[in-house]
Amino acid sequence: MSRRLAINRLRDRRPDAAAVERFLARHEVPIVEGDRCTFLWRGEADAVHLVQRIVGLPDRLPLRRVWGTDLWYLVLELPAGSRVNYQLEVRRGEHVETGNDPLNQKVSYSPVGTSSVCFAHGYATPDWTEPDPDARPGELVETAVPSRALGRDCRVTLYLPARFRRAASYPLLVVHDGQDFLQYAAAKTVLDNLIHRLDVAEIVVAFVEPQDRLVEYADSAAHARFLTRELLPGLEADLPLLAQRSGRCLLGSSFGAVAALAAAYRAPDTFGALALMSGSFVFTDIGAADHGGGPVFDPVVRFVNRYRARPRRVADRVFLSCGVYEPLITPNRSMALTFESAGMALRLLETRDGHSWENWRDSLRDALSWIYPGPQKLVYE
């Protein structure tokens, strides 16, 4: 099978520069052929590496040079439906430069910058993440909530569904890293579409924003007090919310997932559901004593170790998702068992993806339609 790959057919012809030009003009990079993805780079260099974070593989994978040319290649096997962020590292003498793939226009965005992205065979960006002219848009309302717990005014962006009425009662979703979910996970578009398609009930969403997420989200008692004693009472006084456990859900990804679990742990009768995506649930109760995350993870490890030692029911339902290419997949699988042992209903979603905003975006329909199902979802279930 490997002899039929496009790169192997090119190699067999002993190509010159013109042949390489024609080859690149004919193919979209990376070249996806079944479960094989061929990464390419062109130029003079002493070494080229693919830099990625697929658990189980070296972080740097070497590209080989097509003999007699300046074209470099690497064939990587990726299961159907995979999505992988990557960059290319190029070494010339002592100079090393890492950046996005110049032959690939597909780019993934995040608060720390961009990276190239490879869509393996079978992956498609969900249509419900794209603007739908038929979906009536909800409204985003900016507000600030004074917080004695955090010692500042906290920025909160409210999402009100398109048919918002004061006479109705709405469940509430609180989203950590709210501005990032809006910018990098298309959260407003997703909400508009899923509510329009009746997959998700009409809900009010509070997108909250930290000042220092690595402090406020790492099992912070102050952050938990802000959510339960300041944010919730204020929103429930101002808006027509259900104001009961079954109508409250906390959502977060990475450190935000830790913040959601820690807040629910401190107020176990407050929230009916948690949506935890790629949670940074690092623990040391089994395995190595050194968690490897540095001092910023110390409070997280202490909290997760404590929770695992005495699991308790902190919500009725927990949605847990993680990419199988993330190093966090193993601790998240272990936490799934911990949550079930505490008597909480669990929905576990494993994706062929990494620690990325597109992964969390693509998981939103599964999360929200399970926690707050709309009429269409209820009919089929």
Side-chain angles (χ1 to χ4, degrees):
M1 176 180 176
S2 62
R3 297 290 296 175
R4 295 196 293 272
L5 294 179
I7 189 66
N8 289 329
R9 296 196 301 270
L10 177 70
R11 291 171 58 213
D12 290 345
R13 292 196 297 269
R14 296 293 181 97
D16 57 14
V20 170
E21 289 282 358
R22 293 192 298 271
F23 178 80
L24 293 176
R26 286 197 307 269
H27 294 285
E28 183 177 337
V29 179
I31 304 172
V32 178
E33 300 165 283
D35 60 358
R36 303 298 201 274
C37 298
T38 302
F39 298 84
L40 301 171
W41 184 83
R42 191 179 189 190
E44 292 299 329
D46 295 309
V48 182
H49 286 83
L50 182 79
V51 180
Q52 44 68 46
R53 292 289 307 277
I54 299 177
V55 65
L57 291 180
D59 290 347
R60 298 164 64 255
L61 298 171
L63 276 68
R64 298 175 59 186
R65 190 170 188 158
V66 176
W67 186 88
T69 76
D70 60 355
L71 184 66
W72 301 70
Y73 74 97
L74 167 69
V75 178
L76 192 62
E77 183 177 350
L78 291 174
S82 296
R83 186 191 160 285
V84 174
N85 288 6
Y86 72 97
Q87 290 189 313
L88 293 171
E89 177 192 276
V90 180
R91 181 175 66 81
R92 299 181 181 94
E94 298 300 318
H95 179 71
V96 177
E97 184 175 342
T98 303
N100 291 345
D101 183 348
L103 299 175
N104 180 8
Q105 300 305 308
K106 298 182 289 293
V107 177
S108 174
Y109 296 88
S110 80
V112 296
T114 65
S115 62
S116 297
V117 59
C118 172
F119 299 141
H121 175 72
Y123 175 84
T125 301
D127 62 353
W128 45 264
T129 69
E130 304 288 347
D132 181 352
D134 293 330
R136 291 180 59 180
E139 180 183 6
L140 293 180
V141 179
E142 295 289 340
T143 187
V145 177
S147 173
R148 293 183 61 185
L150 295 173
R152 60 182 174 88
D153 287 348
C154 298
R155 179 185 181 183
V156 178
T157 303
L158 295 174
Y159 171 86
L160 305 179
R163 297 174 178 82
F164 179 78
R165 307 178 307 281
R166 286 279 171 181
S169 294
Y170 297 92
L172 175 69
L173 174 70
V174 178
V175 178
H176 291 82
D177 295 307
Q179 294 305 308
D180 289 338
F181 263 96
L182 287 166
Q183 182 172 354
Y184 302 111
K188 181 183 183 299
T189 297
V190 169
L191 287 165
D192 289 344
N193 290 342
L194 294 182
I195 292 172
H196 168 71
R197 298 180 185 199
L198 306 182
D199 286 331
V200 173
E202 293 185 331
I203 60 174
V204 169
V205 184
F207 294 94
V208 299
E209 195 66 15
Q211 188 172 73
D212 184 345
R213 68 189 303 274
L214 296 182
V215 173
E216 292 179 19
Y217 287 1
D219 185 35
S220 163
H223 175 72
R225 285 198 302 274
F226 163 67
L227 291 180
T228 58
R229 301 182 189 177
E230 296 172 337
L231 180 67
L232 278 184
L235 293 180
E236 291 174 353
D238 294 339
L239 295 169
L241 301 176
L242 289 177
Q244 59 191 32
R245 177 187 175 106
S246 62
R248 304 185 188 119
C249 174
L250 294 177
L251 183 149
S253 62
S254 193
F255 254 57
V258 176
L261 177 61
Y265 180 85
R266 284 183 162 84
D269 297 322
T270 303
F271 301 98
L274 302 176
L276 312 176
M277 298 178 173
S278 302
S280 299
F281 300 127
V282 181
F283 52 81
T284 57
D285 58 345
I286 57 175
D290 180 9
H291 54 74
V296 71
F297 272 90
D298 287 345
V300 174
V301 171
R302 287 193 295 269
F303 165 65
V304 178
N305 282 352
R306 184 171 68 250
Y307 182 77
R308 287 168 56 81
R310 290 190 176 88
R312 70 180 185 187
R313 185 185 179 101
V314 298
D316 300 319
R317 299 196 290 172
V318 177
F319 175 88
L320 189 67
S321 69
C322 193
V324 296
Y325 301 144
E326 302 184 56
L328 288 168
I329 186 63
T330 299
N332 272 267
R333 286 170 175 166
S334 184
M335 289 299 290
L337 300 176
T338 303
F339 293 142
E340 286 185 317
S341 73
M344 295 180 285
L346 178 76
R347 176 70 63 89
L348 175 62
L349 173 68
E350 296 187 0
T351 62
R352 296 197 181 278
D353 210 324
H355 200 76
S356 72
W357 285 97
E358 287 87 353
N359 181 13
W360 306 328
R361 176 200 67 190
D362 291 359
S363 302
L364 282 173
R365 184 174 67 174
D366 289 275
L368 299 182
S369 65
W370 186 62
I371 292 170
Y372 293 139
Q376 184 76 14
K377 188 71 173 177
L378 288 172
V379 166
Y380 285 100
E381 289 194 347

